[in-house]
Amino acid sequence: MKTSDALLWSPAGLELGEGPRWVDGRLVLVDILSGTLLEADGPHPGDLRPTNRLEIPLGAVAPVAGQPGRWIAAAGTGVALLDPGGVLTWLGRPVGDGPIPRRMNDGVCDPAGRFWAGCMAWDGHPGAGALYRTGTQGQLEQVLDGLSIPNGPAFSTDGTIMYLADSAQGLVLRFPVDPTSGDLGDPVTFVVTHDGSPDGMTVDVAGNLWVAVWGAGEVRRYSPQGRHDRTVRVPAPQPTAPCLGGPDGTRLYVTTARYGLPPKTYGHSGGIFVAEVDMPGIPAAAYGGVLPDAG
């Protein structure tokens, strides 16, 4: 197994950095609890620029096809269109009711243009999480329940496989997907971690799954057969998500978090790290649906 080290790319100082995406030659990510969307130019390290700040948590975004600067967002208690001026147009807020306070968390688009996003209880209450799918007609549906802290998902390049982490359970599930309908088949357990929690994930062009392991200070690569064949060590204990990008797609960007750490132990936690790898990723998939005008 190959092991390498990630280097600090930007100090950033994020509380809960997540959801990095390589979009149109730049790195885009969120700081969840501050509700902030940020970006940085291309391969060059430097200060992140906030492009939107919301009054609610911002779990993840994906670009909207053909509409530069617009995003579909897992935010607060639902899914919304986020326009360049920060206006949210809600497609649905399904997690606002119920006895356990919940918020949206990680999310991504599949190759067919559907947006998938999970929710979790604010206190991580077991079984309170769920996974939602936003179809290309804007319809928002719950497709899984009984999760605790869903992260990801990540899709194979042809959209026939979905990986979904339940961080609190220390496992990554693998689902067959009907690429036409988006229907899920029965899952199998793909990865179990015992020394940390699987968090954000991404798939490269060869079908390998890269998994950030919160608490272990690592990003691990698994072959399509589930073999752990590479580790990238991150000098921060709480890596949250990987993203493959850069000029040729072989630069691994890793977001991290300060959340829950004593200030004296922050170090570079909350920064963004980078490592060169041997397999490129693919550009972030865009939402391909028809959305209402912002307002």
Side-chain angles (χ1 to χ4, degrees), residues 235-238 257-258 260-269:
Q238 297 177 164
R258 292 183 174 186
L261 296 176
K264 290 183 179 180
T265 68
Y266 279 170
H268 293 308
S269 293

Side-chain angles (χ1 to χ4, degrees), residues 121-286:
W122 275 96
D123 63 359
H125 188 85
L131 181 69
Y132 292 86
R133 180 183 61 220
T134 304
T136 53
Q137 299 303 310
Q139 70 277 24
L140 181 58
E141 305 171 82
Q142 180 178 296
V143 292
L144 293 172
D145 61 7
L147 304 168
S148 294
I149 304 178
N151 269 296
F155 289 87
S156 61
T157 54
D158 63 2
T160 62
I161 296 170
M162 182 185 80
Y163 298 97
L164 181 71
D166 193 335
S167 301
Q169 303 300 316
L171 56 83
V172 177
L173 301 172
R174 175 175 168 152
F175 293 81
V177 184
D178 182 321
T180 301
S181 67
D183 291 341
L184 300 178
D186 293 332
V188 297
T189 298
F190 183 71
V191 169
V192 177
T193 60
H194 300 286
D195 56 347
S197 301
D199 203 322
M201 304 178 288
T202 194
V203 175
D204 64 29
V205 295
N208 301 303
L209 181 70
W210 297 79
V211 183
V213 185
W214 174 289
E218 293 180 350
V219 175
R220 298 172 186 167
R221 187 177 73 180
Y222 296 88
S223 73
Q225 294 74 40
R227 183 171 63 90
H228 178 198
D229 63 5
R230 179 159 186 174
T231 295
V232 176
R233 295 177 297 218
V234 181
Q238 297 177 164
T240 55
C243 167
L244 288 161
D248 60 1
T250 59
R251 182 164 290 177
L252 182 74
Y253 296 94
V254 185
T255 51
T256 65
R258 292 183 174 186
Y259 179 77
L261 296 176
K264 290 183 179 180
T265 68
Y266 279 170
H268 293 308
S269 293
I272 299 169
F273 296 81
V274 68
E276 298 295 335
V277 298
D278 56 2
M279 191 63 62
I282 56 177

Side-chain angles (χ1 to χ4, degrees), residues 44-85:
H44 304 294
D47 294 334
L48 296 174
R49 297 186 303 279
T51 60
N52 271 297
R53 282 195 175 96
L54 307 180
E55 298 299 321
I56 54 177
L58 180 59
V61 300
V64 175
Q67 300 184 48
R70 301 185 99 181
W71 309 91
I72 188 169
T77 57
V79 175
L81 172 67
L82 174 61
D83 81 354

